Amino acid sequence: MNGNKMQDKNEQCLNYDLIENLRLTKFPKPGELIFYGTAGFRTRAEKLDHVAFTMGVLSVLRSKKKKAAIGIMITASHNPENDNGLKLVDPSGEMLESSWEKIATDLVNIDDGELVPTLRKIIKEFEIDENLPATIILGRDTRISSPRLADCAIEGINACRATLRDFGIVTTPQLHYLVASINTNGAYGEPSLSGYYQKLSAAFKNIRGNLSDSGNYLAKIQLDAANGVGALAIKQFQENLKGFLDIDIYNDGNGELNHKCGADYVKIEQSPPSNLPVKPNLRSVSIDGDADRIVYYYTDEADKFHLLDGDRIATLIAEYFKELLLESQLTLNVGLVQTAYANGGSTDYITNKLKIPVECVPTGVKHLHHKALEFDIGIYFEANGHGTVIFKDSATELIRRAAKDETISESKRQAARKLSQVIDVINQTVGDALSDMLLVETILHAKKWSLIDWEQSYRDLPNRQLKVKVQDRSAITTTDAERKCVLPEGLQRQIDQAVARYSKGRSFVRPSGTEDIVRVYAECENKEDVEKLAVEVGIAVYNLANGVGSKPVLSKM
């Protein structure tokens, strides 16, 4: 009997000989270094085989350490078709813990013969019990390279004798949902794709009732799916929401991924995507390649393009939640988290009109998500349309209880009931373009608003973004959530002097995390002035980062 137990335990341990052999012969490290960034590893797909294999192995160690299932998502989001990437998802569906990002980077970049000794060091340092079982949740997008990379990851997982649950083609938010629901034994939602669709669709329809159109709100949208994996998901929602929301899908997977379409393209180009019919004032939506970003927009009768981005979505949600909390008389702390890229018009509206506290953090969803956890209800969105809402368990419990409390007035109970229902529309694990779409549609319907009504809530300040080519991006360092430049010396002073010359001027710079460029953001009262401000700051960056001499290269982001 003891022998059988020992055998069972050994069957859960890593097969070090196989791991070493595979890394040396089948998955050797290429010449260049690759780093685990905000979105995990991301580069040309042909350079990622050894990364996928090694992360298959590391995910098993992480699973044993956390005594929970860990996710692996293979995707490159809004990147071109030839790129790909891979990231790990922690037990609650959140991003990988920051300290393990460095471990991932080190493990991928060490010499091939050092992989096994390094694994042993990690196991010893983190006191990982090898005899514990491990479960890995695997998902991938629709890129041509994704099946191959999934197979590489599976070889690493199998070499560690872990349990694999391969969900095949899924959106990134669906993978996060699956990890959270599996680790909560279904408390977060049924741990399946059908459970994901059912949870969000049912909550959306419960809030809407039998009404579709409402005032200026028409229950019809046209959606650009970026020719990505989100197209498959939105087709499922299209079926589930018949009679509640009419969705016309474009760039549905038959074209090139993210090419002249998708949320990132629309945000940067400030124009509709290709293949989308331009109809005056029709509510339009674009998601990105892996369906975690979303932007709204419309074209008016004069053929002028109007964008409602992540800042607009955040303010819409914040205003709606504040209204419901006032109606329900529930005392909960609501806060909104932004980055320096948030438009000053939105920050002013939230702070001075809505009286909701705003926190600014460095760029990257992991920073926003972490800060949002400090509020009872934390709302976070990047301007690019990536974001969600997080409820503390205590806040959810209070709302659910009030929704059923017959000792309070019907109006208070009804407001609490709406809050309770809207919680289930939200994928709290990560920014989810389709969940966010259903939330926005819920709010617009409740307010009886068209996009024109929504846009009129406040005025965005004109803004401009530039990229400046530099010799070494590390010459630029920042502080204060990337809003102030520390080095090179004197650059912040020149930025301040430039900003002071323009009404409502604001500008900041930050180095790219992957290439030797510096990103410049500028905004001010007038569109003509913002172009001048951006160029002035761009030239200052070039001169102080590279030395005065050659003509700076400034390009549109």
Side-chain angles (χ1 to χ4, degrees):
M1 185 173 180
N2 290 337
N4 289 337
K5 282 188 177 180
M6 184 61 68
Q7 183 180 6
D8 291 342
K9 287 184 177 180
N10 286 338
E11 288 177 355
Q12 294 172 346
C13 293
L14 281 66
N15 186 337
Y16 289 109
D17 289 341
L18 179 57
I19 292 169
E20 182 175 49
N21 182 59
L22 286 171
R23 176 71 180 253
L24 287 170
T25 62
K26 193 172 182 179
F27 303 109
K29 179 190 72 170
E32 63 188 75
L33 299 177
I34 181 170
F35 297 89
Y36 195 109
T38 301
F41 293 105
R42 193 172 291 180
T43 187
R44 298 280 292 188
E46 63 269 18
K47 299 178 180 180
L48 286 169
D49 286 17
H50 84 291
V51 173
F53 168 75
T54 307
M55 288 303 97
V57 174
L58 184 63
S59 67
V60 175
L61 295 191
R62 183 68 177 162
S63 178
K64 290 175 183 286
K65 172 62 181 175
K66 300 300 289 185
K67 300 177 183 177
I70 295 295
I72 297 178
M73 182 65 200
I74 297 169
T75 184
S77 186
H78 56 279
N79 282 39
E81 178 103 35
N82 290 333
D83 287 352
N84 214 324
L86 181 145
K87 68 175 181 177
L88 302 189
V89 177
D90 263 352
S92 296
E94 74 274 34
M95 299 289 194
L96 178 66
E97 183 182 317
S98 295
S99 62
W100 278 65
E101 292 178 4
K102 184 179 184 306
I103 294 171
T105 295
D106 291 345
L107 206 60
V108 161
N109 291 303
I110 58 172
D111 291 338
D112 298 324
E114 291 298 312
L115 177 60
V116 167
T118 304
L119 292 173
R120 293 186 187 277
K121 287 179 184 177
I122 294 170
I123 290 169
K124 182 177 180 181
E125 179 183 350
F126 289 93
E127 300 179 339
I128 297 171
D129 184 354
E130 276 198 75
N131 295 316
L132 291 174
T135 300
I136 308 304
I137 314 301
L138 181 63
R140 57 184 170 86
D141 69 11
T142 52
R143 293 168 192 265
I144 295 173
S145 58
S146 290
R148 186 191 80 245
L149 293 177
D151 289 341
C152 296
I154 290 170
E155 290 211 47
I157 295 164
N158 288 342
C160 297
R161 303 185 173 109
T163 298
L164 170 67
R165 296 188 64 176
D166 186 355
F167 283 88
I169 296 175
V170 294
T171 69
T172 294
Q174 285 174 340
L175 191 280
H176 284 256
Y177 166 90
L178 289 166
V179 172
S181 57
I182 286 169
N183 281 319
T184 58
N185 295 316
Y188 182 69
E190 181 189 320
S192 66
L193 285 177
S194 61
Y196 167 87
Y197 292 118
Q198 175 61 25
K199 178 182 179 180
L200 271 59
S201 298
F204 177 77
K205 290 189 284 190
N206 285 340
I207 296 172
R208 294 282 282 261
N210 294 323
L211 297 175
S212 53
D213 294 349
S214 177
N216 291 335
Y217 174 88
L218 302 178
K220 179 179 179 62
I221 62 172
Q222 54 181 20
L223 184 139
D224 155 35
N227 289 314
V229 64
L232 303 178
I234 199 62
K235 287 173 185 176
Q236 184 63 53
F237 277 118
Q238 191 180 42
E239 291 297 314
N240 289 8
L241 300 178
K242 278 185 177 178
F244 291 83
L245 183 63
D246 185 6
I247 307 172
D248 289 336
I249 307 172
Y250 299 89
N251 297 314
D252 63 355
N254 292 314
E256 184 179 347
L257 176 68
N258 293 323
H259 180 64
K260 294 186 177 180
C261 59
D264 201 53
Y265 174 85
V266 171
K267 170 69 174 171
I268 292 172
E269 296 298 326
Q270 299 280 303
S271 65
S274 62
N275 303 321
L276 193 81
V278 177
K279 303 174 183 177
N281 302 328
L282 181 59
R283 195 163 67 259
S284 302
V285 176
S286 282
I287 62 176
D288 67 336
D290 67 341
D292 64 5
R293 295 183 184 184
I294 182 171
V295 294
Y296 275 73
Y297 49 93
Y298 70 96
T299 303
D300 63 24
E301 292 90 343
D303 203 32
K304 181 182 178 182
F305 179 78
H306 299 254
L307 177 69
L308 296 99
D309 60 10
D311 293 339
R312 291 278 180 181
I313 295 171
T315 58
L316 181 73
I317 295 169
E319 183 171 4
Y320 181 64
F321 280 11
K322 182 169 184 179
E323 290 170 357
L324 291 180
L325 287 172
L326 287 173
E327 291 174 21
S328 64
Q329 294 295 293
L330 293 173
T331 305
L332 291 170
N333 180 20
V334 181
L336 196 145
V337 188
Q338 296 182 322
T339 70
Y341 284 106
N343 192 278
S346 73
T347 307
D348 180 70
Y349 179 74
I350 297 160
T351 304
N352 298 318
K353 178 69 181 299
L354 300 183
K355 307 295 184 185
I356 291 175
V358 176
E359 296 285 348
C360 186
V361 298
T363 304
V365 171
K366 64 182 179 182
H367 301 300
L368 290 111
H369 192 95
H370 180 74
K371 193 67 178 179
L373 291 169
E374 296 180 10
F375 299 96
D376 292 331
I377 303 176
I379 304 163
Y380 72 83
F381 271 85
E382 291 186 295
N384 62 25
H386 194 175
T388 190
V389 185
I390 308 171
F391 294 79
K392 282 185 177 177
D393 290 342
S394 56
T396 299
E397 183 180 348
L398 181 66
I399 292 168
R400 305 271 201 219
R401 193 164 58 243
K404 300 176 182 177
D405 188 355
E406 296 187 359
T407 66
I408 62 176
S409 68
E410 175 59 26
S411 61
K412 292 179 181 178
R413 191 163 63 250
Q414 178 65 17
R417 192 177 299 124
K418 287 180 182 178
L419 272 172
S420 180
Q421 291 170 332
V422 85
I423 289 173
D424 291 329
V425 174
I426 298 166
N427 185 351
Q428 298 184 50
T429 64
V430 73
D432 182 337
L434 303 181
S435 164
D436 291 338
M437 181 191 76
L438 295 182
L439 178 58
V440 169
E441 294 298 317
T442 294
I443 298 171
L444 293 178
H445 177 269
K447 287 179 166 290
K448 302 182 178 181
W449 277 3
S450 66
L451 292 192
I452 298 171
D453 299 321
W454 178 11
E455 187 181 31
Q456 289 174 346
S457 56
Y458 69 88
R459 174 179 173 266
D460 271 330
L461 291 174
N463 59 89
R464 184 81 156 90
Q465 295 185 48
L466 295 176
K467 293 188 295 186
V468 183
K469 182 70 176 176
V470 295
Q471 294 173 3
D472 180 5
R473 66 181 182 275
S474 66
I476 303 287
T477 60
T478 63
T479 187
D480 188 24
E482 302 174 319
R483 290 176 291 187
K484 297 292 182 182
C485 188
V486 178
L487 291 174
E489 188 174 342
L491 178 54
Q492 186 58 50
R493 182 173 64 253
Q494 291 193 26
I495 294 174
D496 292 341
Q497 291 170 349
V499 164
R501 289 192 283 271
Y502 300 98
S503 175
K504 294 186 180 181
R506 182 171 74 92
S507 183
F508 67 91
V509 303
R510 57 181 291 268
S512 166
T514 56
E515 53 186 323
D516 284 324
I517 62 171
V518 175
R519 305 183 190 280
V520 174
Y521 178 90
E523 67 179 30
C524 52
E525 180 75 20
N526 300 312
K527 186 175 181 180
E528 297 76 16
D529 287 343
V530 81
E531 300 288 338
K532 298 175 186 176
L533 175 57
V535 171
E536 284 183 35
V537 173
I539 292 172
V541 168
Y542 185 87
N543 287 339
L544 286 176
N546 292 327
V548 179
S550 57
K551 186 178 179 181
V553 178
L554 310 179
S555 57
K556 183 179 179 181
M557 285 184 63

